Amino acid sequence: MEGSYQTYFEKSPVAVFVVDEDGTYLEVNPAACELVGCSESELLSKNVSDLSTSGESTPPSFQHVRETGRVQTELQIQHSEGHLIDVLLDAVSLGDGTFVGYVRDITDRKEREREVESLKERLELAVDAANLGVWDWDLETDTVQFNDQWATMLGYSASEIDSALDAWKSRVHPADRELVMEAVDAHLAGETAYIDTEHRLQTADGGWKWVRDIGHITERGANGDPKRAVGIHQDIDERKRAEQELEAAHDRLRQVIDLVPDLIFVKNRAGEYLLVNDAVCEAYGRPAEEIIGRTDQELLFTEEHPKAFREDDLAVIESGEPKTIPEEDLVTADGETRVFHTTKIPYEPSGSDDDAVLGYARDITELKAYERQIETQRDNLEVLNQIVRHDIRNDLQLVLAYADLLHDSVEESASGHLHTLQNAAQDAVAITRTARDVTEVLLQSGADRAPTRLRPVLEGAIDSARSNHEHAAIQVEGSIPEVSVLVDDLLESVFRNLLQNAVIHNDQELPEVTVTTTAGKETVAVSIADNGPGVPDEQKAEIFEEGVQGLDSEGTGLGLYLVETLIDRYGGSVQVEDNEPRGAVFTVELPLA
């Protein structure tokens, strides 16, 4: 038997130490020597305190076995190279003052336990930091355990949470419950790798909180039936509410886009529609879902339009610059050809790196028709202007010429009638001149202005007025300054009409007209004063309106309207005031060039 024991002692994989009452090693087997990295002789020269990490002369484990006769414990001992070894010690007293200890190396197991503990600590820290609610479902009892964060997330304390599965189900929003249970059942049946849902849970105050629920089966029975599942609840309430607000904003924007009468669309590089508003749908005669993902080639009713649209789209995408197409035709679903003014700009759809083009097209069909109508009217007005300027005026000049020839041939009793005829013809000539000027204003609304010397223009108008109204006294007070104003060639018509107005609407036997010019730093003012009946206060504000006639006037009312229209074009002003002791003063103010 002694031989068998010795063989076991020598061959045992377990380290065996035999020590005396003082802790001195009496016997050690090869496994013990290998464990601590010493030779047998080295080890037999040591004491248990030499391998202890406590630093005491009598290690606690050795003291305990001396007192009780046996000890089982886990501890660390010193290796000869200085590192520590985790061991499981089973020591007994042999009753004769000696002790035997069986020591197993458990370093690997303890390292794994420490790693698991560290991982557990990190996981708990992560769960706490992320405010994750953890659940643990026992499928055999249908009970669920929750951590404190899960309860706090919903406004409860841990003691208030019922562990029954039905209690958890009752907290799921009714609208989400079916979806959640379908996801759970699919995972339990092995159809999905995880339970992964987003749903609402009722909080302690009766409200609802959005959570993301992720879990999976961690344990199955012998027959494969699930026994345990664990998972987390993540608070996603803020994100879901932000998504809902974004969705609501998107819906509002969509409503606004659909209310816009212009065609609004987005197309990608391949020419496929990514977005269209209701106006596009109406033009194409299709709902949005039949347009999205399709191209103009598939949607339009002609061959040339898709090609032109495609060229414009690619030009914008390639250049990265906006492009405006002043006029382009589109045959709509009802077969009508409409004209559009289209603008296309580079666009990058949200969440995509694909190049695209954003376009908006305004229907200008009616506007173009109106422009053609206006152009026709302008042509007709030009014809009328030619007639007024040439045919009618030439005939009136002929009347005046023959009237002058008859002046010495008619009897004295008829001379009054001849004078009336001459005055009427002269007035008609003046009217044709005013009508000509008004027509030119209408035809040349965009005429360019240029710096023009004021003095020769004003002097020319005064000379013409003196020649046409020899019975009137027209004088210039002071000198006309040498200044330039920014006007066109119709400025003389302004002064001619004001001078004519001062004479022909004068009730005095000798109409007197005085022209005064005053230059300032930025403007020049030309005043034309008369000794006529003046302008009543109630007419001063409206006398320059089209067709408004002066007091007891038989004129057309176009002269002063023409004056106000031209002065407004020049960026100036015109006003009328009372003259002293009687009459009116018309003052034109023009900015200097």
Side-chain angles (χ1 to χ4, degrees):
M1 193 69 180
E2 222 175 273
S4 298
Y5 172 79
Q6 187 65 31
T7 301
Y8 169 76
F9 181 78
E10 295 290 341
K11 301 296 185 182
S12 174
V14 177
V16 181
F17 298 84
V18 179
V19 298
D20 62 13
E21 178 70 22
D22 297 326
T24 301
Y25 292 113
L26 302 176
E27 289 187 74
V28 293
N29 69 346
C33 296
E34 183 180 357
L35 176 64
V36 297
C38 294
S39 65
E40 181 178 355
S41 60
E42 289 175 331
L43 195 52
L44 291 177
S45 66
K46 295 181 180 293
N47 189 281
V48 293
S49 59
D50 295 328
L51 301 184
S52 173
T53 61
S54 66
E56 300 177 13
S57 60
T58 305
S61 57
F62 183 65
Q63 180 65 28
H64 186 69
V65 73
R66 286 197 303 184
E67 294 173 354
T68 63
R70 182 164 189 171
V71 66
Q72 284 183 316
T73 186
E74 293 180 359
L75 50 82
Q76 288 183 320
I77 62 175
Q78 292 275 1
H79 191 274
S80 63
E81 295 178 354
H83 61 269
L84 301 179
I85 307 169
D86 290 294
V87 297
L88 173 63
L89 171 64
D90 187 359
V92 296
S93 173
L94 298 179
D96 58 357
T98 60
F99 307 89
V100 62
Y102 301 94
V103 181
R104 291 176 173 84
D105 188 347
I106 59 171
T107 302
D108 291 343
R109 176 171 67 81
K110 293 299 289 186
E111 185 63 31
R112 288 194 299 272
E113 288 178 357
R114 282 191 288 269
E115 289 178 357
V116 169
E117 186 63 27
S118 176
L119 180 60
K120 181 180 178 182
E121 289 176 0
R122 291 199 299 270
L123 179 60
E124 289 177 351
L125 288 173
V127 167
D128 289 342
N131 194 27
L132 297 176
V134 179
W135 52 264
D136 189 336
W137 177 18
D138 186 333
L139 281 82
E140 293 182 319
T141 62
D142 260 352
T143 57
V144 188
Q145 300 300 320
F146 302 97
N147 69 344
D148 290 346
Q149 285 92 333
W150 192 94
T152 303
M153 187 187 303
L154 299 179
Y156 293 100
S157 64
S159 60
E160 294 177 290
I161 301 299
D162 189 337
S163 62
L165 181 65
D166 287 342
W168 169 78
K169 287 183 181 179
S170 67
R171 291 191 179 93
V172 179
H173 194 287
D176 303 334
R177 194 170 299 152
E178 182 178 354
L179 177 66
V180 172
M181 295 315 299
E182 286 179 356
V184 171
D185 292 341
H187 180 61
L188 295 181
E191 298 173 2
T192 59
Y194 294 93
I195 300 169
D196 191 349
T197 65
E198 293 183 356
H199 58 270
R200 287 160 287 183
L201 289 177
Q202 191 166 34
T203 59
D205 60 6
W208 298 97
K209 182 182 287 291
W210 278 96
V211 299
R212 183 181 181 188
D213 187 0
I214 305 174
H216 70 104
I217 298 168
T218 60
E219 186 178 347
R220 293 183 181 271
N223 58 358
D225 292 337
K227 294 178 60 178
R228 183 184 178 196
V230 296
I232 61 170
H233 279 168
Q234 181 183 10
D235 185 345
I236 59 170
D237 197 64
E238 187 174 342
R239 172 174 63 84
K240 290 297 286 188
R241 296 191 187 282
E243 288 176 357
Q244 290 169 348
E245 290 177 4
L246 183 62
E247 185 66 26
H250 180 273
D251 290 342
R252 290 193 296 271
L253 179 61
R254 179 74 217 192
Q255 291 174 2
V256 171
I257 291 175
D258 283 337
L259 288 173
V260 174
D262 299 340
L263 277 63
I264 299 178
F265 55 86
V266 174
K267 288 185 279 186
N268 62 16
R269 181 181 285 273
E272 298 167 336
Y273 281 94
L274 304 180
L275 178 145
V276 292
N277 68 343
D278 282 352
V280 176
C281 297
E282 183 178 352
Y284 287 0
R286 302 170 184 263
E289 55 268 22
E290 293 185 12
I291 299 176
I292 301 299
R294 303 178 72 180
T295 66
D296 289 321
Q297 190 69 39
E298 299 171 285
L299 296 168
L300 295 177
F301 308 98
T302 59
E303 293 184 2
E304 67 274 11
H305 294 157
K307 181 180 179 182
F309 296 165
R310 179 76 174 139
E311 290 175 352
D312 292 334
D313 294 346
L314 289 176
V316 171
I317 291 175
E318 295 296 342
S319 68
E321 298 293 333
K323 182 175 184 179
T324 298
I325 302 92
E327 293 182 35
E328 60 181 2
D329 293 343
L330 174 67
V331 179
T332 60
D334 57 9
E336 183 181 6
T337 299
R338 307 293 294 180
V339 183
F340 289 88
H341 178 280
T342 304
T343 300
K344 296 181 177 181
I345 62 175
Y347 181 75
E348 184 174 308
S350 177
S352 171
D353 294 332
D354 193 12
D355 294 325
V357 58
L358 167 65
Y360 49 96
R362 173 159 296 178
D363 190 335
I364 58 171
T365 306
E366 282 73 23
L367 175 62
K368 298 306 294 183
Y370 179 70
E371 288 179 355
R372 288 192 292 271
Q373 179 183 355
I374 292 297
E375 191 63 32
T376 300
Q377 291 175 350
R378 285 174 60 87
D379 292 342
N380 293 339
L381 190 59
E382 180 64 42
V383 172
L384 178 61
N385 189 35
Q386 290 288 340
I387 293 173
V388 169
R389 284 189 298 178
H390 295 93
D391 298 353
I392 296 178
R393 190 174 179 185
N394 288 343
D395 287 348
L396 288 173
Q397 293 291 357
L398 187 62
V399 170
L400 286 172
Y402 277 101
D404 288 340
L405 292 175
L406 292 173
H407 189 272
D408 297 330
S409 303
V410 298
E411 298 179 0
E412 185 176 351
S413 60
S415 62
H417 298 305
L418 182 59
H419 183 69
T420 300
L421 176 64
Q422 288 176 313
N423 288 340
Q426 289 174 347
D427 288 344
V429 169
I431 290 173
T432 60
R433 184 183 295 116
T434 300
R436 178 201 65 189
D437 293 341
V438 170
T439 302
E440 288 184 358
V441 169
L442 296 176
L443 291 174
Q444 302 174 9
S445 58
D448 293 333
R449 294 180 290 156
T452 303
R453 293 175 57 217
L454 174 67
R455 183 173 180 175
V457 175
L458 183 56
E459 287 178 343
I462 293 172
D463 291 342
S464 177
R466 285 170 176 166
S467 174
N468 292 329
H469 305 286
E470 296 177 353
H471 65 292
I474 302 175
Q475 62 180 351
V476 178
E477 186 176 283
S479 61
I480 302 175
E482 282 290 350
V483 296
S484 294
V485 289
L486 194 62
V487 296
D488 55 24
D489 56 6
L490 290 175
L491 177 61
E492 183 179 355
S493 180
V494 171
F495 300 133
R496 184 176 67 247
N497 276 280
L498 290 176
L499 290 167
Q500 179 175 294
N501 183 74
V503 174
I504 65 176
H505 297 306
N506 200 306
D507 57 355
Q508 297 295 306
E509 183 176 348
L510 177 62
E512 296 179 357
V513 181
T514 302
V515 180
T516 306
T517 307
T518 305
K521 291 183 178 181
E522 298 181 355
T523 61
V524 61
V526 178
S527 297
I528 298 176
D530 64 62
N531 63 342
V535 179
D537 290 340
E538 62 271 16
Q539 286 191 358
K540 285 185 173 69
E542 60 182 24
I543 195 169
F544 296 102
E545 295 179 8
E546 182 180 4
V548 174
Q549 299 173 342
L551 185 66
D552 299 327
S553 172
E554 297 180 356
T556 63
L558 286 178
L560 292 181
Y561 166 69
L562 174 64
V563 169
E564 200 275 339
T565 300
L566 287 172
I567 294 302
D568 183 65
R569 177 193 292 182
Y570 303 152
S573 63
V574 59
Q575 59 183 358
V576 59
E577 297 176 333
D578 293 333
N579 194 14
E580 294 297 339
R582 76 189 306 268
V585 180
F586 285 82
T587 301
V588 170
E589 189 171 27
L590 293 169
L592 297 176

